[in-house]
Structure formats: C-alpha cells, structure tokens
Amino acid sequence: MGEIRRLNELSDAAADEFLRRSSITYLETCIALMLTSMSVEDVALILEQEAKNLRDFG
C-alpha cells in the first residue's frame, strides 16, 4: 500500500510541476505577444500593476 501512495505522490508532484512550467510558458508567450504591439515600458507597467493587484487581492 505504501508503494501506491508514494507513486500517487510522485504523480501529483509531476502534474503540479508540469502545470507550473506550462503556466510560465503561457505567461511568457503572452508577454511576447504584448511586445509585438506595445513598448517594453508599457508592458512592464502593466505587469507591475498586475503583480501589485495579485499581492493586494490574491
């Protein structure tokens, strides 16, 4: 029974890590898309405001 629990823990950890990496890749893609039509400074300001919102309300 312990082996099954350990396998489940490893599986859950791998799934969590996959979702984390996928989310970061998606964010990077969104930032790259923003940079095709906005200045770096505008993108940075937007991201800073979103980070502030996350800290304040997240």
Side-chain angles (χ1 to χ4, degrees):
M1 191 68 82
E3 289 180 24
I4 291 173
R5 184 176 350 160
R6 180 67 181 140
L7 286 174
N8 284 336
E9 290 171 357
L10 289 172
S11 175
D12 290 345
D16 290 345
E17 182 59 22
F18 172 79
L19 291 172
R20 180 184 173 281
R21 286 190 325 263
S22 296
S23 296
I24 292 169
T25 299
Y26 179 72
L27 175 61
E28 291 169 341
T29 302
C30 292
I31 292 168
L33 179 60
M34 291 172 75
L35 289 169
T36 65
S37 61
M38 304 165 102
S39 70
V40 171
E41 185 62 26
D42 286 344
V43 173
L45 289 171
I46 290 168
L47 293 173
E48 288 166 356
Q49 184 59 50
E50 291 300 322
K52 182 184 180 311
N53 290 341
L54 281 172
R55 287 185 188 99
D56 291 346
F57 305 114

